[in-house]
Amino acid sequence: MTTVPGGCVVSQPWGYAPSMPGIHTRLSRGTVSYGLYANPKSGNQGSTARDGVIEGWDLHPGGAPDEESSPEEVLSSYLFRHHAVAYACAWVGVRPTDTRAVVGIPDRWVRLPERDHWAH
């Protein structure tokens, strides 16, 4: 976990746990979160949660907009094309000042409790 202007970036090197529904919904209580998994096999996968409720799933951050995209989503897709991390950060309003929150040493390592993190 790394504090950045506007909030916090939670990352797991080489894993998808921060975007699992059970984690994602807990992190978003009282706020908003964007879960991003950079899947080496199928590409970037995203999900959104607001106040503990999943709002979007199977999203493609940094990809092209689709027919149902809002004007804001179309603009973000244009501005952050092929930049999934930047897209996710912009979507929730966090503004990292450097790359440390994504590729550097975090402010704090945390261990997830033993439970089914796919359930929510």
Side-chain angles (χ1 to χ4, degrees):
M1 303 183 99
T2 305
T3 301
V4 299
C8 177
V9 172
V10 178
S11 63
Q12 178 191 18
W14 314 289
Y16 54 83
S19 64
M20 294 167 74
I23 304 278
H24 202 24
T25 54
R26 286 176 177 87
L27 289 173
S28 71
R29 288 189 181 141
T31 189
V32 62
S33 66
Y34 197 106
L36 168 64
Y37 174 46
N39 189 333
K41 185 175 180 181
S42 62
N44 296 317
Q45 300 168 356
S47 59
T48 59
R50 184 179 309 275
D51 202 18
V53 177
I54 299 288
E55 291 186 334
W57 192 258
D58 197 25
L59 308 173
H60 303 283
D66 57 33
E67 293 178 5
E68 293 90 35
S69 294
S70 69
E72 293 82 10
E73 291 168 329
V74 171
L75 178 60
S76 291
S77 294
Y78 173 76
L79 292 173
F80 303 112
R81 183 70 179 235
H82 305 296
H83 298 284
V85 173
Y87 182 96
C89 288
W91 197 91
V92 296
V94 296
R95 304 284 186 253
T97 56
D98 57 30
T99 62
R100 187 176 64 87
V102 179
V103 298
I105 298 171
D107 291 342
R108 174 180 296 230
W109 288 99
V110 297
R111 184 177 301 274
L112 296 175
E114 294 291 327
R115 65 170 55 138
D116 179 6
H117 296 295
W118 286 103
H120 59 92

